[in-house]
Amino acid sequence: MKVRTRFAPSPTGFLHIGGLRTALYAYLYAKGKGGDFILRLEDTDQTRYVDGAVELIYSTLRETGLNWDEGPDVGGKFGPYIQSERKSLYMDYAVELVEKGGAYYCFCTKDRLETLLDENGQRKYDKHCLSLSKEEVAKRIASGEQYVIRQNIPKTGECAYTDLVFGEVSFDFKDMEDNILMKSDGMPTYNFANVVDDHLMEITHVMRGTEYLSSTPKYNLMYDNFGWERPQYIHMPPIMKNSKEKLSKRHGDASYADFINSGYIKETVINYIALLGWSPKSDQEKLTFEELKNLFSVEGISKHPAIFDEKKMKWLNGEYFKAMTEQEFFTHAKPIIEKSAVAGMFDDEYLSKLMKTRVELLTQIAEKLDPLAEYGDWDLEILTHKKMKTDTEIAKAILPEILNVMKDIEWTEEKVHDTLLALVEKLELKNSQVLWCFRIAITGLANTPGGATEMAKIFGKDTCISRIEKTIARLA
Ligand code: GLU
């Protein structure tokens, strides 16, 4: 049988990385088995619908290469793939389930439901309407009374099933409620629609978060009532912010767009989230999309919560930068440099080359380069540095010497470097003393995004010479 997995997001906001990981695993699993990956939009809860959320799902999945074989926009033989467009078919299945004893009509009012509290003070439906006769139900429906359809869950007993990650799991029916399957507006709830759709769309492997581990028995009960084959289940561990808190979209943590905006590239996001709850057999951490497709397996999915480690994700992003060619990195860096404070001031390709090994996030490019845009009356005290064995007096003595030897040289990095070192030797100074004084004089900054010769190359000869002269004059 061909493997068919699905990603079934609810368009309720941005695409949280937990959701993206679900999509990724479902995609990788299907592709690794030569199967199909399906996108289905679960929008039956219209009150939670957020404008633009659907477009964001499409664009994020496309951008990250998680292309679906069937889905709302591309179609497929099991469509429509948007639940609200499938509204008419759920009622027939709900009626069938009622006939098979797996569900019943419920006419209880909101006021009555408010009065129902179980022994733990939790509101739990008491199966009141289960005892209504078929005739009475028909009469009340015919008279236009509002109703819902609830699942009929046994009061006792347990339901066990095998999850491909968690193994054999079992839950007591007594802890479950007769949830609503069809709402009074004729829309199915998630609890019903997911079962009907997974069956009709011939989904072989249902992959979702562990929060569904304990409700799956209810779904299995429906598959059994209908006489349908249950799918296989693959539940994925939660992603935690730390050992106690879950990374959650409700707290506004970490959507795909947030990561991109904060300077990650999509390759890192995909690579890193693949490792949140899964690991390959080796300890390789930098894995391309192609490698993930080849290596992904259910055996590598962990039962334990994954802790999101931003430091590690940053490191990985930096590794991607290092592995790029200069030209590849420049395509990422260029738009940032063009919007930075140094836009149009220097050789952008050179700046990009300099940043490639020095940043872990694209946003750090502007942070590092922006200070180069200004050269005001900087604090002369930064010339004083104990470890470099410099101070303003030493600078006062060294800078005229530097000026002297630099004036007539050809301005290449190599020449600047060799000239400065020759001066070190001639004056019997330390490398650090000459390089520090030179670098500070030409940049006016204690911290620069590169060494002395690199700064010399960025600013060019004329600027450097005039800045050294200016510093000499200020020290006089
Ligand atoms: N719409 C559900 C969600 O976004 C999907 C869960 C599932 O995969 O069945 O959580």
Side-chain angles (χ1 to χ4, degrees):
M1 204 193 337
K2 196 173 195 188
V3 165
R4 289 173 59 83
T5 64
R6 84 309 190 261
F7 177 47
S10 302
T12 54
F14 50 69
L15 192 52
H16 182 248
I17 55 155
L20 189 59
R21 184 193 61 172
T22 302
L24 175 65
Y25 285 15
Y27 174 89
L28 294 174
Y29 187 75
K31 295 299 142 188
K33 303 271 181 203
D36 290 334
F37 171 61
I38 288 106
L39 175 64
R40 178 173 81 221
L41 295 178
E42 302 207 324
D43 62 344
T44 56
D45 188 352
Q46 299 279 333
T47 56
R48 291 178 61 217
Y49 189 86
V50 171
D51 270 348
V54 171
E55 289 65 34
L56 206 63
I57 291 167
Y58 292 161
S59 64
T60 308
L61 295 183
R62 287 228 158 87
E63 212 175 297
T64 50
L66 305 182
N67 295 314
W68 50 100
D69 301 293
E70 294 163 31
D73 53 344
V74 300
K77 68 175 188 176
F78 300 96
Y81 293 86
I82 301 183
Q83 284 183 332
S84 58
E85 291 174 15
R86 301 168 67 77
K87 186 177 168 187
S88 58
L89 64 83
Y90 300 108
M91 191 46 103
D92 288 346
Y93 284 101
V95 171
E96 185 182 333
L97 197 61
V98 171
E99 277 158 15
K100 290 184 156 146
Y104 57 93
Y105 292 90
C106 170
F107 300 90
C108 288
T109 60
K110 216 171 143 215
D111 288 347
R112 175 168 193 279
L113 296 176
E114 304 262 293
T115 63
L116 300 174
L117 294 179
D118 70 4
E119 62 272 22
N120 302 317
Q122 301 280 349
R123 198 169 302 146
K124 188 173 170 186
Y125 188 63
D126 60 355
K127 290 182 176 283
H128 180 73
C129 291
L130 181 60
S131 58
L132 298 178
S133 70
K134 238 178 150 175
E135 294 68 37
E136 178 160 9
V137 167
K139 210 166 83 200
R140 288 172 77 166
I141 294 175
S143 75
E145 208 175 313
Q146 284 229 330
Y147 65 86
V148 298
I149 296 180
R150 288 184 184 271
Q151 188 176 7
N152 182 18
I153 295 182
K155 282 189 178 151
T156 55
E158 60 178 37
C159 172
Y161 68 99
T162 304
D163 178 88
L164 296 187
V165 175
F166 288 81
E168 168 110 355
V169 287
S170 160
F171 296 89
D172 278 334
F173 283 133
K174 76 169 169 32
D175 299 327
M176 298 173 205
E177 189 180 10
D178 286 359
N179 288 127
I180 294 175
L181 303 181
M182 292 298 291
K183 296 185 276 189
S184 56
D185 63 0
M187 271 289 196
T189 56
Y190 165 76
N191 285 322
F192 190 50
N194 93 85
V195 171
V196 173
D197 287 347
D198 284 341
H199 170 71
L200 294 179
M201 293 180 183
E202 297 182 5
I203 302 301
T204 57
H205 294 74
V206 168
M207 301 175 72
R208 56 190 164 210
T210 44
E211 62 272 29
Y212 293 98
L213 199 62
S214 62
S215 40
T216 293
K218 295 193 275 194
Y219 311 144
N220 282 335
L221 193 61
M222 285 189 252
Y223 282 99
D224 297 352
N225 291 149
F226 276 120
W228 295 341
E229 195 184 332
R230 298 178 185 181
Q232 302 265 27
Y233 294 102
I234 297 172
H235 284 95
M236 293 162 241
I239 304 175
M240 310 290 287
K241 200 167 161 170
N242 50 48
S243 60
K244 291 194 192 73
E245 288 169 282
K246 232 176 127 172
L247 200 69
S248 118
K249 59 178 159 194
R250 296 220 162 76
H251 297 126
D253 288 331
S255 73
Y256 173 76
D258 288 341
F259 284 114
I260 298 301
N261 292 338
S262 53
Y264 289 95
I265 54 167
K266 64 175 187 219
E267 288 81 359
T268 307
V269 180
I270 288 297
N271 186 158
Y272 187 68
I273 65 171
L275 298 174
L276 282 172
W278 170 82
S279 53
K281 287 193 185 81
S282 69
D283 52 15
Q284 188 184 348
E285 292 187 298
K286 185 167 171 288
L287 295 149
T288 63
F289 197 44
E290 283 310 307
E291 286 172 315
L292 289 174
K293 277 196 228 174
N294 292 330
L295 293 172
F296 188 80
S297 71
V298 171
E299 294 72 45
I301 301 179
S302 166
K303 286 185 201 160
H304 306 290
I307 300 209
F308 181 78
D309 179 352
E310 184 142 25
K311 226 163 113 193
K312 188 161 169 191
M313 191 175 174
K314 276 189 194 155
W315 165 81
L316 192 59
N317 209 40
E319 291 303 295
Y320 271 94
F321 293 160
K322 284 180 202 150
M324 284 178 188
T325 62
E326 277 167 18
Q327 212 40 48
E328 276 165 351
F329 185 74
F330 187 50
T331 58
H332 291 284
K334 193 169 181 255
I336 296 177
I337 298 174
E338 284 171 352
K339 270 194 237 126
S340 76
V342 296
M345 291 175 75
F346 310 115
D347 174 350
D348 289 355
E349 270 189 81
Y350 184 76
L351 293 178
S352 167
K353 184 177 151 200
L354 214 56
M355 291 297 102
K356 188 172 172 292
T357 52
R358 288 180 165 86
V359 296
E360 290 184 325
L361 296 173
L362 292 171
T363 43
Q364 290 169 346
I365 296 176
E367 282 163 30
K368 286 196 186 287
L369 294 179
D370 281 352
L372 301 182
E374 274 181 47
Y375 184 86
D377 278 337
W378 48 276
D379 181 3
L380 291 169
E381 270 315 307
I382 58 173
L383 284 163
T384 305
H385 195 290
K386 211 162 159 203
K387 224 166 111 206
M388 301 295 158
K389 301 197 166 18
T390 62
D391 57 31
T392 45
E393 281 312 303
I394 294 171
K396 202 168 154 179
I398 295 178
L399 286 173
E401 300 282 351
I402 293 179
L403 185 65
N404 203 23
V405 291
M406 302 295 254
K407 257 206 238 141
D408 300 320
I409 64 164
E410 189 199 340
W411 206 256
T412 64
E413 272 182 87
E414 207 185 351
K415 269 267 153 43
V416 169
H417 178 260
D418 293 349
T419 310
L420 290 171
L421 290 199
L423 190 67
V424 167
E425 213 160 288
K426 186 180 147 214
L427 301 179
E428 293 181 12
L429 291 164
K430 300 239 172 285
N431 283 5
S432 66
Q433 294 177 302
V434 173
L435 293 174
W436 185 268
C437 292
F438 174 71
R439 189 173 56 84
I440 304 283
I442 64 172
T443 63
L445 301 165
N447 295 312
T448 49
T453 53
E454 289 161 330
M455 293 301 109
K457 165 137 176 118
I458 289 176
F459 294 113
K461 186 170 182 177
D462 293 349
T463 304
C464 290
I465 296 292
S466 92
R467 288 180 177 183
I468 296 170
E469 284 169 348
K470 194 169 172 209
T471 309
I472 294 171
R474 289 181 65 208
L475 284 166

